[in-house]
Structures are given as structure tokens and as C-alpha cells.
Amino acid sequence: MDPNILFKYALQVRDRSYSPYSGFRVGAALKVAGVEEPVTGTNVENASYGATICAERAAVLAAIARYGKVPFEAIAVVADAQPYVVPCAACLGVLAEFCPADFPIYCCNLEGIQKVLQLRDLLPNPFRLERP
Ligand code: THU
């Protein structure tokens, strides 16, 4: 899929961001293997700030609710940020649960895709539950 399509979906869903506390509106679009239309998510804040859900996690959870644990191919994330927005550490941990180290993350601002990173660039050593 053309990553610019992913960007457009992320930009569109960002309009539905519920972010009255931070004013920081974020949109994310996730490409699911074998599914044409990207699954989108936006940030939803809460008066109890810690209950806030980021756009990227909203997209991952929506994709799993709809399709189960299927391979994800890429994600685009957009906010009014300079030079671009990157997923927070909690979202990277959730992505690492389901995606390979070379999973592409399209980091965008309102003008478009500004940087393509791989999951390993942002989270080189993800936590894994491995008991001795
Ligand atoms: N946020 C996201 O949705 N994704 C990110 O990658 C960074 C942060 C949201 C959480 C909160 O609603 C607002 O942005 C400010 O932190």
C-alpha cells in the first residue's frame, strides 16, 4: 500500500480526536495484512489523565477486535508536530507485542510523511516476559 494513503487515513481520523486536556490531536492508521482499508485510531483523553488512550494503541486494539491477531504491515501516525510525531514508549511496547523489529512506522506532521523509522529504531530492546 502507498504509505501516503495510510497518512491520509491517519489525518482524517485525527479530526475525531478527543483531546480537551492537552489539545494535542493525534491520528493513526494501521495496515493489516490482507485487508485493504486501514484500521484507524485517535487519542481519547480522560479527566483521569492516566486513562487516556493514544491513537496508535487505539488503532492496534481496534484491529485486534475486528480481525484478531493478524499480521500488521505498517502504521502511520500524525499530529501537528515538528519535525514529526513518534509513538510514545507505551505504544511502542504494544506494537512490539505484535510486530517485527523491521515494522515500518511512518512519522508524520500535517504536511505529510516526514520520516520512516523501523520499530527497532525506536525500541531496540522490547520487554518480553521470559521466565528462567
Ligand atoms: N499521544 C498519542 O496519541 N500518540 C502519541 O504517539 C503521543 C501522545 C496523545 C496522548 C495524549 O492524548 C496527547 O497525545 C498528549 O500526550
Side-chain angles (χ1 to χ4, degrees):
M1 153 172 286
D2 176 356
N4 291 303
I5 308 247
L6 221 47
F7 165 70
K8 277 184 193 147
Y9 272 84
L11 191 63
Q12 248 176 27
V13 72
R14 178 180 172 273
D15 287 342
R16 293 200 279 274
S17 167
Y18 177 76
S19 40
Y21 303 103
S22 72
F24 193 71
R25 304 166 73 78
V26 188
L30 184 65
K31 174 70 178 70
V32 174
V35 178
E36 196 172 318
E37 184 165 39
V39 176
T40 56
T42 191
N43 56 327
V44 179
E45 299 187 344
N46 191 269
S48 176
Y49 295 173
T52 291
I53 302 285
C54 291
E56 299 90 322
R57 266 177 292 163
V60 169
L61 302 191
I64 290 176
R66 203 170 311 169
Y67 300 109
K69 188 194 166 309
V70 288
F72 301 146
E73 292 179 347
I75 194 167
V77 54
V78 61
D80 187 3
Q82 287 300 334
Y84 46 77
V85 66
V86 295
C88 78
C91 288
L92 292 171
V94 169
L95 287 169
E97 182 78 23
F98 301 107
C99 306
D102 64 353
F103 180 75
I105 299 174
Y106 294 96
C107 302
C108 312
N109 61 24
L110 300 188
E111 278 71 56
I113 297 170
Q114 302 300 322
K115 184 91 178 169
V116 190
L117 294 170
Q118 295 186 346
L119 182 54
R120 66 157 69 87
D121 296 325
L122 292 166
L123 192 66
N125 294 292
F127 170 74
R128 309 226 180 266
L129 190 52
E130 279 160 14
R131 296 190 177 92

